[in-house]
Amino acid sequence: MKTNFFRTALSISMIAIASITFYSCEQDALEGISSEVLQEKSFDEKHNENFVELSEDEYIEGQLYVKLKDDYNKNFKSSSPKVDLNKLPFLNDLKRNSSFNVKSTFYFAKSSKLNRTLRVYLDNPEQTDALIAELESSKEVEYVERVPLARTSLTPNDLGANTVSEQWGLHKIQAQEAWEITQGSPNVVVAVVDDAIMTTHPDLAGQTVAGRDVSDDDNDTNPSTNLQHGTHVAGIVGAATNNGTGIASIGYNVKIMPIKATPDSGIPGYVYNGYEGITWAADNGADVINMSWGGSTYSQTNANVISAAAAQGVVLVASAGNSNSSVTKYPAGYPNVISVANTDINDNKSSTSSYGPTVDVSAPGTSIRSTVISGDYANWSGTSMAAPMVAGLCGLVLSVDPTLSIAEVENCIKSTTDPISSYAGSLGTGRINALKAVQCAAGNNGTCTTPSPSEITYTEHSSIIYLYAYPYQGDAHQFRYRLDGGSWQYFNETTSHYNTVSNKQCGIYEIQLRQKCNGTWSSWSSVKTIVTTVSCCTTPSPTEITYTEHSSLVYLYAYPYQGDAHQFRYRFNNGGWKYFSPTSSHYNTISNKQCGTYKVQLRQKCSNAWTGWSTVKSIVTCQ
């Protein structure tokens, strides 16, 4: 524990230190800054002069989540941040050994699980472990856990530097072409949960719906001097477009719900109440929520927040992080969250972007121009900038079809990306393509879904198989097939709903189908297996060729006889092959016999399908 003198010195220098944290370009926001420096002011009057140290393992020291058991005090329900501990006597009892305050930071949550999750603030963080032990042994508590720290995912350039065309990202993802289909609906709401959002910026004014400051528990989401991050993020999502001012945004006409999740006294670059913000947004009509922040610590409470929001049908988008590693960040790593990596103008991974198996897609996030709290515009970089590009696109997709489920929105985003070679397999399915995504949402005008084997039907005839695509979708289809594991044979694409396999043979046909919509092919379907019903002939062996030799001829016999017809061929002393016509008789005759060596082969036919030629049977005459 540091001395009170050191705490006082820190409070004087906090603003200068915070600016260093926020504008760190290529390093982790905690790197090089001691845990004593990173402190959070407590939220109630009792703790105004006390700071809470943040530990190096990304927890806020001295703060805990406590989940009450469902069967304890069933009538307890929070309706404000204040908690009456007389209704929770076990917590009052624990205060004999530890000094702490309790707040209900999820008091507005519709989810009873979250409403019964409390946040504890210890006066002395050194008592944290002891209090955890006591809470874990309390029969009233379902679980207790430390509160994770979340940091913004921004790695800004020097403000004002612009080495690429002003809004290269929108051109890269074909936003202009997407806007020909939809300019976004003002009925679609994208919440930006961040440090603060300047709703009076000239390019944001009129673009927002009612929001909330969940950190200071009021309705003013505008930032203090140093809280800059959320305003830049919000502009990427939904700055006013086609208004002759500043910039265009991917969301065009979608509305922004501003959620301030950092207290006015907080350190820039950190989000203190992001999960309370997610809950408020989900409970108050957000269709999409953007989270351009995160940390490497998993939390059961925070996972409950994500699950509750997803259960309400909210599409969740988060930045993958700026650690240039595959370490999973949260909330991006929770289920039901679209995790977004950062790519540059050449579709390469940015030097700082996180990557790995939990990333779902990539988006432009390097030198992205957007709104800042000076009322002007600046180019910043980071997965913080890539995530709102995706969140705004989700808003466009829902503008085309507001009935789409979370899974359908995510599919339209992930299945329509453009491939990128950088960090193959670690940057999701590729870099987003706005045009293809909204085409997907528009149905057959967009990307076809991958057909299922049940959409492949067939009828089998004596010598052919008709293949049908049903139900038919899209502008064209293509079948491919192979027999008994051989090479794939491809039909040309066609607008007809069927193709014909000619010269049917006995064996197992594997069939696949793909379909095309608006110039884009779906993936191949899984295999449909067809076992033909013909009586299959096997390739004859030389022992099935028998003969009798006479003075001037040789009789050739196929025995035992199989199939509908057979054919012999022969050559004399390695001359050219001579072919008998196919016949249903079981023998043929070589006339004008000569003395020497005849080489004879046999093939047979079943249901119009010929076997291969047998190996050679040698007949030496005139012996």
Side-chain angles (χ1 to χ4, degrees):
M1 195 69 176
K2 302 302 176 183
T3 64
N4 289 332
F5 171 79
F6 188 63
R7 288 181 179 277
T8 304
L10 284 173
S11 65
I12 296 172
S13 60
M14 184 174 294
I15 294 176
I17 293 167
S19 64
I20 293 171
T21 303
F22 189 77
Y23 293 110
S24 171
C25 291
E26 300 297 338
Q27 65 178 15
D28 189 291
L30 287 178
E31 187 177 329
I33 303 176
S34 64
S35 61
E36 295 86 5
V37 171
L38 299 177
Q39 303 174 25
E40 177 194 3
K41 262 189 178 175
S42 185
F43 300 166
D44 65 278
E45 231 173 80
K46 178 179 177 182
H47 298 93
N48 271 346
E49 299 306 317
N50 293 326
F51 292 98
V52 182
E53 299 178 25
L54 304 184
S55 66
E56 294 178 355
D57 57 358
E58 298 198 327
Y59 294 106
I60 303 176
E61 286 196 3
Q63 294 192 21
L64 303 172
Y65 284 133
V66 178
K67 168 64 172 64
L68 303 177
K69 285 185 177 178
D70 293 340
D71 58 0
Y72 169 70
N73 196 352
K74 294 181 179 180
N75 294 326
F76 176 81
K77 187 178 188 303
S78 300
S79 57
S80 75
K82 294 182 179 180
V83 176
D84 183 359
L85 292 185
N86 291 322
K87 296 181 179 180
L88 303 172
F90 81 96
L91 285 176
N92 253 340
D93 292 343
L94 293 177
K95 294 189 78 169
R96 291 176 301 181
N97 301 321
S98 304
S99 178
F100 58 83
N101 186 47
V102 181
K103 300 190 82 170
S104 177
T105 55
F106 292 105
Y107 73 89
F108 43 75
K110 293 179 180 177
S111 163
S112 60
K113 181 180 291 186
L114 294 174
N115 191 270
R116 293 173 64 83
T117 301
L118 307 176
R119 193 158 174 168
V120 174
Y121 303 82
L122 283 97
D123 290 346
N124 182 357
E126 289 188 341
Q127 296 177 333
T128 300
D129 289 341
L131 182 57
I132 288 175
E134 290 185 291
L135 287 166
E136 286 179 335
S137 64
S138 298
K139 65 180 184 301
E140 299 86 355
V141 174
E142 181 176 321
Y143 69 81
V144 58
E145 62 180 358
R146 298 173 185 268
V147 177
L149 168 69
R151 67 171 66 89
T152 58
S153 302
L154 168 71
T155 52
N157 294 327
D158 294 333
L159 298 183
N162 184 9
T163 58
V164 296
S165 58
E166 286 197 351
Q167 290 196 277
W168 68 269
L170 293 179
H171 293 281
K172 193 77 171 179
I173 66 173
Q174 293 188 274
Q176 289 173 289
E177 292 84 350
W179 294 332
E180 293 294 323
I181 297 173
T182 179
Q183 291 81 50
S185 168
N187 296 320
V188 174
V189 177
V190 180
V192 175
V193 178
D194 217 291
D195 57 1
I197 295 91
M198 181 183 179
T199 59
T200 58
H201 188 287
D203 237 358
L204 296 177
Q207 292 298 107
T208 62
V209 298
R212 183 71 177 171
D213 180 348
V214 294
S215 284
D216 294 314
D217 200 32
D218 58 43
N219 293 325
D220 184 5
T221 67
N222 285 284
S224 61
T225 305
N226 293 315
L227 300 180
Q228 308 183 58
H229 186 263
T231 301
H232 197 274
V233 171
I236 298 169
V237 169
T241 302
N242 199 31
N243 64 344
T245 299
I247 61 167
S249 69
I250 177 61
Y252 210 108
N253 285 322
V254 301
K255 292 296 185 181
I256 301 164
M257 178 186 287
I259 305 294
K260 181 173 176 287
T262 298
D264 292 335
S265 58
I267 301 173
Y270 295 89
V271 174
Y272 296 77
N273 298 93
Y275 292 90
E276 289 90 341
I278 294 167
T279 301
W280 196 95
D283 287 353
N284 287 274
D287 300 297
V288 182
I289 298 177
N290 184 81
M291 303 161 286
S292 287
W293 41 268
S296 59
T297 305
Y298 177 91
S299 159
Q300 183 59 56
T301 297
N302 296 345
N304 291 343
V305 168
I306 296 297
S307 295
Q312 295 180 73
V314 181
V315 179
L316 300 156
V317 181
S319 53
N322 295 332
S323 65
N324 189 29
S325 74
S326 59
V327 174
T328 300
K329 300 290 184 181
Y330 299 97
Y334 290 121
N336 298 310
V337 177
I338 301 174
S339 174
V340 186
N342 167 16
T343 50
D344 63 19
I345 194 171
N346 296 313
D347 274 344
N348 293 318
K349 185 188 86 68
S350 78
S351 60
T352 58
S353 178
S354 296
Y355 54 90
T358 60
V359 172
D360 292 300
V361 294
S362 301
T366 302
S367 191
I368 302 300
R369 192 161 185 80
S370 189
T371 47
V372 291
I373 64 173
S374 65
D376 205 346
Y377 306 87
N379 290 65
W380 292 355
S381 297
T383 54
S384 275
M385 284 63 255
M389 198 77 76
V390 175
L393 178 55
C394 290
L396 278 188
V397 167
L398 285 170
S399 297
V400 174
D401 185 353
T403 68
L404 294 176
S405 66
I406 294 174
E408 289 169 329
V409 172
E410 184 170 350
N411 176 67
C412 280
I413 299 295
K414 292 170 63 175
S415 68
T416 60
T417 55
D418 290 336
I420 51 180
S421 57
S422 174
Y423 282 72
S426 294
L427 296 178
T429 60
R431 191 252 308 131
I432 59 169
N433 184 303
L435 172 62
K436 293 178 182 177
V438 297
Q439 287 173 337
C440 172
N444 284 343
N445 293 325
T447 302
C448 296
T449 57
T450 300
S452 75
S454 64
E455 294 177 50
I456 302 171
T457 58
Y458 70 97
T459 57
E460 184 181 350
H461 300 270
S462 59
S463 61
I464 56 176
I465 303 172
Y466 287 113
L467 302 176
Y468 302 92
Y470 182 81
Y472 192 76
Q473 61 170 320
D475 307 318
H477 81 267
Q478 184 179 27
F479 280 111
R480 69 178 183 181
Y481 71 92
R482 62 183 179 182
L483 176 65
D484 293 335
S487 300
W488 286 106
Q489 307 296 314
Y490 292 79
F491 290 102
N492 293 328
E493 68 173 87
T494 177
T495 57
S496 171
H497 67 288
Y498 73 94
N499 285 102
T500 305
V501 178
S502 302
N503 299 317
K504 180 185 74 173
Q505 299 180 54
C506 63
I508 299 174
Y509 284 87
E510 293 176 279
I511 315 292
Q512 288 183 299
L513 170 68
R514 64 175 183 168
Q515 294 172 317
K516 185 164 76 170
C517 297
N518 205 42
T520 301
W521 283 104
S522 72
S523 300
W524 287 103
S525 69
S526 298
V527 166
K528 171 101 170 191
T529 299
I530 300 173
V531 180
T532 55
T533 58
V534 298
S535 175
C536 293
C537 296
T538 57
T539 300
S541 77
T543 59
E544 295 177 48
I545 303 172
T546 59
Y547 69 97
T548 58
E549 183 182 349
H550 299 268
S551 59
S552 61
L553 13 117
V554 178
Y555 288 109
L556 302 175
Y557 301 91
Y559 183 83
Y561 192 77
Q562 59 173 321
D564 306 319
H566 80 267
Q567 184 179 26
F568 280 111
R569 68 179 183 180
Y570 70 93
R571 60 183 180 179
F572 179 70
N573 287 346
N574 294 322
W577 286 103
K578 297 182 182 295
Y579 291 79
F580 290 102
S581 297
T583 178
S584 57
S585 170
H586 66 286
Y587 72 96
N588 285 101
T589 304
I590 300 174
S591 301
N592 301 316
K593 179 188 78 173
Q594 300 179 59
C595 296
T597 301
Y598 287 87
K599 293 184 177 178
V600 182
Q601 287 183 297
L602 171 67
R603 66 174 184 169
Q604 293 172 318
K605 182 179 178 184
C606 297
S607 297
N608 294 313
W610 284 102
T611 67
W613 289 102
S614 68
T615 53
V616 166
K617 171 101 171 193
S618 294
I619 300 173
V620 180
T621 58
C622 304
Q623 286 186 329

